[in-house]
Amino acid sequence: MLDFFKFLGKEQNKSKDVAKERLKLVLIHDRANISPKFLDMVKGDIIKVISNYMEIDESGFDIRLSRIEHEDDNYTSALIANIPIKRMKNIGKNNG
Amino acid sequence: MGEVIVITSGKGGVGKTTTTANIGTALALAGKKVVLIDADIGLRNLDVVMGLENRIVYDLVDAVEGVCRLKQALIRDKRFEGLYLLPAAQTRDKNAVSPAQMQKLCEELKEHFDFILIDSPAGIEQGFKNAIAGADKAIVVTVPEVSAVRDADRIIGLLAANELIEPKLIVNRLRMDMVKRGDMMNIEDTIDILGVDLLGVVPDDENIIVSSNRGEPVVTEERSLAGQAYRNISQRLLGKEVPLINMETEDTFMEKLRRLFSGKNNKRY
């Protein structure tokens, strides 16, 4: 019975699929000539700028390069950031 | 006017030299005039794979430096009509020739040969730059492993930056048993990741090692799967439409049964 479940589980976690997913991700960085360190620098700068206007949750800050698949099967890279806001600061608001 | 094709991969050990030797031999067997250039200066190997190591007098660097005439450096393969080898120098390094010199060499050879195949060294440095300098087309060789595919992607980018767009891909050493188990990326996976056209698929085959032990290209082995794959690739280079070896054949019940009892993996490709 155990073997049976093992068999089922294996179907969902083939090593070639792991290889493919890892390659896709690493190639996004390779092709854009961007290293994780570079991404950290971008993240640091974004935090600096945004913090002037709002208080953000730095621990929840998520930034990554991704790729967008178009209808013609081509891909383009995209920088995707998810930045949780704790509170808006009072500057820049239209106080009438 | 001949065509200059560079065979490259980025990563070492994926089968560039074997591929060069076999495609070249197959093209010669198809009646073409072919010269193979070993551009791996300092680490020459195409000569031993071809079994021509005892016939070297002059080499690529000698020809480029004018120590000898180009014709003197070309080794004629007596077994295959129309096949020649320009060996690499063994005691020099990659800086012994320049891209401009390679370009000139290729131009000269184009006048006399139908195909000039350049076996590129691994890496992306000087040796690679020399190897691609005179090329009209590129063949990228990879194996279905993450490291080789990643390097192939890098090479495809560098080729494009050098105006060698639309390289053709050879997936080497595919193991159908592992693909079936889901433990090796299949052809579709590899093509999907790299986004280039497929020139051919070469199954993993013991005959490759046996052949290189003897210094005889595997294309001459009528019954070898890899030999068949290389013959198909050469036909495609000649513009013929040859279907890919069918990789996704479903086993019939009898085949499964036979395999179970014989313990052998005698699949057709």
Side-chain angles (χ1 to χ4, degrees):
Chain A
M1 203 59 190
L2 197 71
D3 277 342
F4 177 66
F5 282 114
K6 230 169 147 183
F7 174 74
L8 277 182
K10 206 177 157 195
E11 284 298 302
Q12 286 150 14
N13 195 22
K14 290 176 183 166
S15 76
K16 72 114 176 173
D17 292 328
V18 179
K20 199 177 170 186
E21 278 317 301
R22 290 177 56 219
L23 264 171
K24 277 184 176 171
L25 277 176
V26 80
L27 290 185
I28 290 165
H29 290 272
D30 283 359
R31 285 174 188 170
N33 199 16
I34 283 178
S35 67
K37 195 191 165 205
F38 180 94
L39 219 49
D40 268 350
M41 290 161 68
V42 174
K43 180 178 169 180
D45 278 352
I46 290 177
I47 290 175
K48 242 188 275 174
V49 173
I50 290 186
S51 296
N52 290 333
Y53 302 95
M54 50 196 94
E55 211 173 284
I56 62 170
D57 176 12
E58 282 186 38
S59 64
F61 194 121
D62 177 34
I63 183 168
R64 63 202 143 89
L65 266 179
S66 189
R67 62 177 196 176
I68 297 172
E69 198 173 346
H70 298 289
E71 278 173 17
D72 57 357
D73 274 354
N74 279 326
Y75 296 102
T76 47
S77 295
L79 185 69
I80 295 177
N82 188 358
I83 312 168
I85 300 165
K86 280 183 178 165
R87 195 173 58 86
M88 301 300 287
K89 291 193 175 173
N90 246 338
I91 55 168
K93 277 192 188 164
N94 188 357
N95 289 328
Chain B
M1 223 25 195
E3 193 169 48
V4 184
I5 305 175
V6 62
I7 289 104
T8 186
S9 70
K11 191 176 180 300
V14 299
K16 286 180 293 296
T17 303
T18 308
T19 299
T20 309
N22 280 293
I23 294 179
T25 305
L27 287 171
L29 287 171
K32 296 293 168 186
K33 235 187 142 191
V34 183
V35 59
L36 312 176
I37 303 180
D38 189 347
D40 202 347
I41 298 168
L43 289 168
R44 81 171 167 217
N45 270 326
L46 189 51
D47 55 335
V48 280
V49 171
M50 288 297 297
L52 297 170
E53 68 274 18
N54 293 325
R55 303 213 12 232
I56 298 175
V57 181
Y58 297 110
D59 57 48
L60 170 66
V61 178
D62 291 327
V64 164
E65 289 180 343
V67 175
C68 65
R69 280 178 290 116
L70 178 54
K71 214 180 160 188
Q72 289 177 293
L74 297 177
I75 300 167
R76 188 174 70 86
D77 193 322
K78 292 169 186 165
R79 300 162 298 181
F80 311 106
E81 174 86 38
L83 185 62
Y84 293 77
L85 169 71
L86 180 54
Q90 184 70 323
T91 53
R92 304 287 294 271
D93 65 41
K94 313 293 195 238
N95 298 315
V97 293
S98 69
Q101 285 171 319
M102 283 299 289
Q103 240 167 352
K104 190 166 160 272
L105 180 81
C106 290
E107 289 304 318
E108 207 175 324
L109 287 169
K110 268 188 193 180
E111 314 250 321
H112 308 285
F113 291 91
D114 300 314
F115 286 96
I116 298 103
L117 304 184
I118 304 176
D119 183 18
S120 158
I124 54 172
E125 295 85 13
Q126 187 65 34
F128 167 73
K129 288 174 190 160
N130 286 338
I132 66 169
D136 305 311
K137 285 185 181 173
I139 294 175
V140 174
V141 183
T142 192
V143 294
E145 293 171 31
V146 283
S147 51
V149 174
R150 183 189 195 179
D151 289 1
D153 188 76
R154 185 101 170 85
I155 284 295
I156 290 163
L158 289 170
L159 288 170
N162 286 278
E163 286 167 17
L164 279 167
I165 47 167
E166 293 178 15
K168 293 277 168 47
L169 186 73
I170 292 180
V171 179
N172 198 13
R173 255 181 250 148
L174 191 84
R175 282 186 53 183
M176 213 45 221
D177 54 332
M178 292 189 71
V179 170
K180 284 232 151 169
R181 291 205 300 269
D183 277 334
M184 183 176 269
M185 285 181 283
N186 61 32
I187 302 305
E188 289 74 28
D189 293 330
T190 314
I191 296 287
D192 179 34
I193 289 166
L194 292 175
V196 288
D197 287 344
L198 187 68
L199 179 62
V201 182
V202 184
D204 195 33
D205 186 349
E206 286 183 3
N207 288 312
I208 292 283
I209 295 175
V210 177
S211 297
S212 63
N213 286 346
R214 299 184 200 281
E216 293 162 359
V218 79
V219 275
T220 57
E221 289 283 333
E222 203 57 49
R223 294 174 59 194
S224 154
L225 289 175
Q228 183 60 49
Y230 281 124
R231 285 193 290 274
N232 287 357
I233 287 169
S234 305
Q235 289 300 308
R236 288 183 201 116
L237 284 176
L238 292 170
K240 298 205 178 88
E241 292 224 354
V242 187
L244 275 181
I245 304 168
N246 186 10
M247 292 290 179
E248 300 296 339
T249 48
E250 268 306 313
D251 284 355
T252 62
F253 176 69
M254 282 311 289
E255 274 174 330
K256 275 181 189 154
L257 208 63
R258 197 182 59 210
R259 188 117 45 90
L260 194 69
F261 284 111
S262 70
K264 271 192 210 156
N265 195 356
N266 45 359
K267 278 203 60 67
R268 283 189 313 253
Y269 290 86

